[in-house]
């Protein structure tokens, strides 16, 4: 069995194991009673919010591609988005998803160098939006990290946001070139090559961000709107359970959780996402339903797009793409 098939089977088993464990350890005597009152229309609203969010993700990618003096259609952009979901579930953090984005962008006629930069910019803009929101989230919600001062969290989140801006400015002004050369010389040859490529792509990404400020402001807010619609899945599902939803708190906690998932060491954030969800929302939903809600959120937000991404991957590249090694794609 090749690596991709092996990862798909392994992922399926991992999802079943984690989902079963989350539900098993969170159900209680009130679960059936509370689920009996569930309103199915909330699932339709959750899926609709997800669809709108994904379309906005596609349109912001089109605008980023246009800034780089290239063009793709909305259909091609949506394929990139779903392809990202597919491979992102097969690898840790955002690394595997970036491979998929580059593959689909190259298929759409974008040169490989620009495709890699655009994939990086797409991720960076999303992280920047969430980082800018974090200070306001901590100001509003004192219950995210019990035992940690909200003032401290606001200070840390604000410092991270400022640091990201200063880092981007320093890269744009070539302030870190000397340091990058020093680091490269101290790394093993294999890692030094990857570091150079990462630093080169980061510089190109920052230059792209700075090349058209007004257009990037539009992309920034379009990214935020896309994420907001995707995160609305959870409050809609809560409404179906009859919860009086505090939208600011719920959306803030979803942003906090999802920025952690960008750096998750597990495929697609599996395990960390469900555990974090249970921790953050166990007191916000009816007794015995938080585990089922966590699994439902993951199914709509991750697993459905995963299967659509699998379909697009096979449709665009053929079944032979599943016989290729992810490492081979990355090195290409």
């Amino acid at each position: 069995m090749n690596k991709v098939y092996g990862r798909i089977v392994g992922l399926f088993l991992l999802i079943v194991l984690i989902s079963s464990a989350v539900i098993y350890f969170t159900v209680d005597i009130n679960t059936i009673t509370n689920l009996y009152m569930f309103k199915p229309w909330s699932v339709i609203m959750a899926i609709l919010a997800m669809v709108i969010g994904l379309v906005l993700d596609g349109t912001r990618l089109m605008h980023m591609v246009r800034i780089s003096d290239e063009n793709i259609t909305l259909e091609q952009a949506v394929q990139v988005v779903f392809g990202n979901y597919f491979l992102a579930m097969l690898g840790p953090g955002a690394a595997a998803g970036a491979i998929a984005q580059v593959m689909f962008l190259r298929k759409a006629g974008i040169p490989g160098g620009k495709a890699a930069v655009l994939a990086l910019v797409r991720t960076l803009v999303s992280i920047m939006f969430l980082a800018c929101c974090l200070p306001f989230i901590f100001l509003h919600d004192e219950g995210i990290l019990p035992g940690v001062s909200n003032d401290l969290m606001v200070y840390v989140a604000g410092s991270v946001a400022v640091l990201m801006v200063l880092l981007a400015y320093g890269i744009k002004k070539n302030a870190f070139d000397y340091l990058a050369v020093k680091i490269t010389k101290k790394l093993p040859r294999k890692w030094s090559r990857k570091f150079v490529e990462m630093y080169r792509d980061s510089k190109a990404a920052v230059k792209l961000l700075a090349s058209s400020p007004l257009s990037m402001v539009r992309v920034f807010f379009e990214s935020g709107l896309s994420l907001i619609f995707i995160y609305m899945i959870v409050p809609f599902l809560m409404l179906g359970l009859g919860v009086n939803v505090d939208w600011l708190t719920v959306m803030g906690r979803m942003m906090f959780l999802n920025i952690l998932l960008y750096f998750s060491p597990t495929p697609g954030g599996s395990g960390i996402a469900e555990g974090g969800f249970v921790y953050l929302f166990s007191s916000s939903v009816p007794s015995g339903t938080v585990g089922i809600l966590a699994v439902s959120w993951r199914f709509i937000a991750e697993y459905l797009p995963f299967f659509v991404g699998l379909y697009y991957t096979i449709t665009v590249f053929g079944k032979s793409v599943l016989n290729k090694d992810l490492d081979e794609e990355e090195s290409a």
Side-chain angles (χ1 to χ4, degrees):
M1 184 179 293
N2 62 55
K3 183 173 286 189
V4 176
Y5 279 117
R7 290 187 184 183
I8 292 175
V9 172
L11 174 66
F12 176 77
L13 295 175
L14 180 65
I15 289 172
V16 171
L17 178 63
I18 291 174
S19 300
S20 300
V22 168
I23 293 174
Y24 177 79
F25 287 108
T26 56
V27 296
D28 60 25
I29 195 172
N30 301 303
T31 301
I32 300 299
T33 302
N34 289 324
L35 288 179
Y36 183 76
M37 305 298 293
F38 183 75
K39 303 174 181 62
W41 59 262
S42 65
V43 176
I44 298 174
M45 295 300 295
I47 294 176
L48 180 61
M50 181 68 181
V51 170
I52 294 174
L54 293 176
V55 171
L56 286 171
D57 197 355
T59 57
R60 68 142 176 176
L61 179 60
M62 291 175 63
H63 297 145
M64 281 190 285
V65 170
R66 198 170 299 143
I67 293 172
S68 70
D69 296 323
E70 303 287 346
N71 280 289
I72 59 173
T73 66
L74 179 58
E75 181 182 6
Q76 290 170 326
V78 170
Q79 289 175 356
V80 174
V81 172
F82 279 113
N84 173 67
Y85 274 92
F86 170 55
L87 280 189
M89 288 295 294
L90 299 181
I99 299 171
Q101 294 176 60
V102 172
M103 288 169 55
F104 277 93
L105 285 169
R106 289 172 62 182
K107 188 70 173 180
I110 308 299
K114 282 188 178 180
V117 171
L118 287 167
L120 180 59
V121 169
R122 181 177 176 271
T123 301
L124 287 177
V125 173
S126 295
I127 293 175
M128 287 175 62
F129 175 82
L130 294 175
C132 290
C133 291
L134 280 182
F136 302 100
I137 293 169
F138 292 129
L139 279 173
H140 171 75
D141 188 356
E142 297 184 1
I144 292 184
L145 292 175
V148 181
S149 167
N150 250 37
D151 292 337
L152 175 61
M153 294 304 298
V154 171
Y155 174 77
V156 171
S159 298
V160 169
V162 172
L163 183 62
M164 288 180 65
V165 174
L166 292 176
L167 186 63
Y169 181 78
I171 291 175
K172 180 177 182 294
K173 295 296 184 179
N174 303 318
F176 302 111
D177 287 1
Y178 178 77
L179 179 60
V181 171
K182 283 287 189 181
I183 294 174
T184 301
K185 290 181 178 179
K186 292 183 179 297
L187 291 174
R189 184 174 181 180
K190 176 183 177 182
W191 291 103
S192 65
R193 181 175 63 85
K194 290 188 176 182
F195 178 80
V196 169
E197 291 175 354
M198 182 187 70
Y199 185 70
R200 179 198 62 204
D201 290 344
S202 297
K203 290 186 67 174
V206 170
K207 289 181 179 179
L208 179 62
L209 286 168
S211 64
S212 183
L214 291 179
S215 295
M216 284 311 306
V217 168
R218 173 183 179 177
V219 169
F220 179 82
F221 285 104
E222 199 168 15
S223 299
L225 196 58
S226 169
L227 293 172
I228 287 170
F229 269 101
I230 291 173
Y231 299 160
M232 285 171 65
I233 293 171
V234 173
F236 277 129
L237 292 177
M238 288 181 173
L239 288 173
L241 289 169
V243 176
N244 186 16
V245 177
D246 180 347
W247 283 79
L248 285 179
T249 299
V250 172
M251 295 298 287
R253 293 191 176 195
M254 286 302 299
M255 289 180 179
F256 174 70
L257 176 58
N258 278 272
I259 198 170
L260 296 180
L261 296 182
Y262 275 102
F263 309 99
S264 167
T266 60
S270 298
I272 295 175
E274 291 84 354
F277 187 96
V278 171
Y279 172 78
L280 291 172
F281 296 108
S282 57
S283 61
S284 305
V285 296
S287 177
T289 62
V290 67
I292 296 173
L293 191 63
V295 173
S296 301
W297 159 59
R298 290 288 286 173
F299 181 79
I300 295 174
E302 296 290 338
Y303 307 147
L304 281 180
F306 168 84
F307 286 111
V308 176
L310 172 61
Y311 165 77
Y312 275 130
T313 300
I314 294 175
T315 301
V316 174
F317 297 100
K319 291 183 180 180
S320 61
V321 73
L322 297 182
N323 295 322
K324 294 181 180 179
D325 218 316
L326 283 180
D327 296 331
E328 291 176 4
E329 292 293 344
E330 186 173 11
S331 62

